[in-house]
Amino acid sequence: MNKRGFWKTRSGFYLAAMGSAFGLGNLWRFPYVVGENGGGAFVLLYVLLALLVGLPLLIGELMLGKFTRKGVVMATAEIMSSHAKFFRWTGRFSIVLCLVVLSYYAVICGWVLYFLTQFWIVLWAPMGAQPGSLGLLQNNGWLQMGLASVHILVAMTVVMRGVQDGLERWIGAVMPVFVVLLTLLTIKSLALPGAPEALRFIFYPDFSHLGWSSMSHAIGHVLFTLSVGFGTMVTFGSYLRVDEHIPTAGFRVAVMDTALSLIAGILIFPIALSASNAPLTDPGLLFEVVPRFLFSMSGGVLFGLAFFICLYLAALGASIGLLEVIVSNLTDVFKVRRLASVWLSGFFVLLIALLPGLSTTLLKDFNLGKKSLLENFDSILINWCLPIIALAFAFTIVRGLSQIDKKKLFVDTERIESVALFPHWTFVIKWIVPSLIILSLFLQTLGLFLN
Ligand code: PHE
């Protein structure tokens, strides 16, 4: 008997997939990676690669889940049973990736919680209360760890309740509120004096600003923000209802997520450019520039509180996606109870989080280059490991599923466009996706020697 849950409603899947896709990647990571890579030209590259690499892989991952009705570890092991171990283990690698990514993601979520409380305190405190800053927080490693732990406990509580009772109901309640808040904030931000300059920065493509690693930064970020290469979408696909058309579902998720990233850029850059001439390339961009500006603006405290509540809910949705994958795979593979695997996963996430969490205090001597451990976690995992795992996924989808099965999963005879698109998707996932990923890794490696 199949004991896996199914999404009760069609919107259940969309809400969970969007909740997992939309997170700190869009609001925290996208703006500073765009800044780091010079603006408009990178945004263009990013959108192109989202279509050419992100979307085809997203569709493929959903197919793996729907076809096997299993989590990513069992799914890849099953359909690649006649291939080399490396490919049978794609699922395992992606779970390790989830675990490590969630550990530093939780630290950043802790930063969000910190600013949320600062805005709350200033809102209620008597005149003149001094809010904290990112610098202050980073000087206190144990506070960072404490906040990351609170965040993980919240995510664990939701995941503990299982796919339908936890995820579906919860994210369903949060998403609409979130979209309304974000829209209001963006309108407000577009009225700022820095808006015209910001829009030019985001949308005017000056290709001379692209560097050797820009392409892999774009691919890494596309995969990260669409939650592809982590096995998340395999798990979500395994809960898909039989009548759900995968390419349509994948397309909607990819378009909405990309649109939300662009909106996040339109929201953040005017604030950043109106606030100061601060460099836009730092992971602290969101947390250094935005709160300082908001605290000094009249009515900014309430605005800021709304903004950080919004950000926290997005980050929580994404964390839940990551944790759900780890938990459901542990449950599948080791046949442990769900509760036990939730506690076990939470424990390991926090254990690993000690490295990025204490990277600005106790472990600050372990910096590599000019970057802290946390920044290195982010760039090594997302710009190197994730594209390599995605490459293995592309191979798994191409070789593990037969052409007939792929066609069955892709084509819906009532949707004539799916018949026409199937050969294109097959071509892209087989040739274009691997070529682009390999090219980007090659250029990035070259950049290491030439810079
Ligand atoms: N896509 C999320 C974000 O943009 C991060 C994430 C990755 C969530 C993988 C789940 C799985 O923040």
Side-chain angles (χ1 to χ4, degrees):
M1 197 181 77
N2 188 351
K3 286 200 293 188
R4 298 189 79 76
F6 286 89
W7 307 110
K8 277 201 200 107
T9 57
R10 176 157 298 172
S11 64
F13 163 76
Y14 283 112
L15 289 169
M18 275 311 295
S20 142
F22 191 51
L24 288 175
N26 307 66
L27 279 155
W28 160 71
R29 205 171 183 281
F30 180 70
Y32 95 78
V33 178
V34 168
E36 208 172 42
N37 290 280
F42 180 81
V43 172
L44 196 66
L45 188 64
Y46 163 80
V47 173
L48 266 174
L49 290 169
L51 271 178
L52 276 178
V53 177
L55 175 60
L57 275 170
L58 171 59
I59 293 176
E61 268 201 34
L62 289 174
M63 280 181 174
L64 284 183
K66 193 175 175 194
F67 180 73
T68 56
R69 294 285 178 210
K70 298 207 162 88
V72 68
V73 173
M74 307 277 268
T76 55
E78 179 183 304
I79 67 171
M80 296 304 274
S81 53
S82 59
H83 288 77
K85 228 181 211 156
F86 177 83
F87 293 105
R88 265 180 281 153
W89 281 15
T90 307
R92 298 191 193 188
F93 293 132
S94 69
I95 296 303
V96 176
L97 185 73
C98 283
L99 206 69
V100 187
V101 166
L102 183 55
S103 73
Y104 84 83
Y105 203 84
V107 175
I108 313 284
C109 292
W111 295 4
V112 180
L113 275 178
Y114 176 76
F115 281 102
L116 205 161
T117 48
Q118 294 308 305
F119 279 103
W120 181 256
I121 291 169
V122 172
L123 192 65
W124 296 107
M127 298 283 287
Q130 271 304 314
S133 65
L134 186 62
L136 275 177
L137 174 61
Q138 287 185 323
N139 278 335
N140 191 342
W142 293 110
L143 178 58
Q144 290 202 80
M145 278 311 295
L147 291 167
S149 314
V150 170
H151 173 72
I152 289 299
L153 278 174
V154 175
M156 282 166 65
T157 313
V158 180
V159 170
M160 240 174 236
R161 311 187 59 182
V163 65
Q164 289 174 346
D165 290 344
L167 227 72
E168 194 171 333
R169 187 185 314 157
W170 197 85
I171 297 178
V174 157
M175 282 294 281
V177 180
F178 179 68
V179 172
V180 171
L181 271 180
L182 195 68
T183 313
L184 283 178
L185 295 176
T186 307
I187 294 171
K188 184 142 186 160
S189 155
L190 275 175
L192 293 170
E197 196 192 337
L199 291 178
R200 188 184 152 79
F201 179 74
I202 308 171
F203 294 114
Y204 179 75
D206 179 350
F207 291 94
S208 66
H209 285 149
L210 293 179
W212 290 109
S213 44
S214 292
M215 189 171 169
S216 74
H217 284 192
I219 291 188
H221 188 74
V222 161
L223 298 171
F224 179 76
T225 190
L226 291 180
S227 312
V228 167
F230 294 84
T232 327
M233 292 299 169
V234 178
T235 299
F236 286 174
S238 75
Y239 302 136
L240 265 182
R241 297 185 327 168
V242 190
D243 58 346
E244 192 68 70
H245 186 233
I246 290 179
T248 311
F251 182 74
R252 288 193 187 144
V253 172
V255 169
M256 279 196 281
D257 184 78
T258 307
L260 283 169
S261 275
L262 295 177
I263 293 176
I266 300 173
L267 161 69
I268 285 162
F269 280 110
I271 303 181
L273 292 172
S274 307
S276 63
N277 298 323
L280 305 173
T281 61
D282 194 272
L285 170 67
L286 175 71
F287 298 97
E288 268 163 12
V289 178
V290 175
R292 204 182 328 135
F293 174 68
L294 288 170
F295 278 125
S296 67
M297 191 175 99
S298 86
V301 177
L302 207 59
F303 187 121
L305 185 62
F307 180 85
F308 278 90
I309 289 178
C310 190
L311 187 57
Y312 184 70
L313 297 180
L316 185 58
S319 310
I320 289 167
L322 282 164
L323 190 61
E324 168 68 27
V325 185
I326 306 172
V327 167
S328 64
N329 279 285
L330 278 185
T331 318
D332 277 359
V333 176
F334 296 110
K335 311 270 178 276
V336 280
R337 290 206 338 267
R338 194 172 166 90
L339 193 67
S341 59
V342 171
W343 281 107
L344 209 65
S345 318
F347 172 77
F348 279 110
V349 167
L350 285 176
L351 197 67
I352 304 172
L354 285 170
L355 295 174
L358 302 178
S359 66
T360 41
T361 51
L362 213 61
L363 304 176
K364 68 169 177 285
D365 295 334
F366 293 91
N367 291 355
L368 279 176
K370 276 191 216 122
K371 290 181 167 177
S372 70
L373 261 177
L374 188 142
E375 286 172 70
N376 279 307
F377 258 60
D378 183 57
S379 83
I380 294 172
L381 290 168
I382 308 304
N383 301 333
W384 293 95
C385 303
L386 181 55
I388 295 173
I389 294 181
L391 203 57
F393 267 110
F395 187 77
T396 307
I397 295 157
V398 171
R399 301 298 291 270
L401 293 172
S402 73
Q403 197 62 7
I404 298 172
D405 289 329
K406 275 187 280 217
K407 194 164 186 174
K408 260 194 222 143
L409 291 160
F410 194 102
V411 173
D412 173 354
T413 41
E414 277 169 27
R415 295 169 198 263
I416 189 77
E417 69 283 5
S418 71
V419 182
L421 282 172
F422 178 63
H424 296 290
W425 174 79
T426 319
F427 180 78
V428 171
I429 193 110
K430 189 167 180 187
W431 299 109
I432 308 284
V433 170
S435 316
L436 289 175
I437 294 181
I438 292 171
L439 175 68
S440 75
L441 290 172
F442 172 74
L443 292 176
Q444 181 166 243
T445 314
L446 210 64
L448 285 183
F449 295 103
L450 297 179
N451 280 338

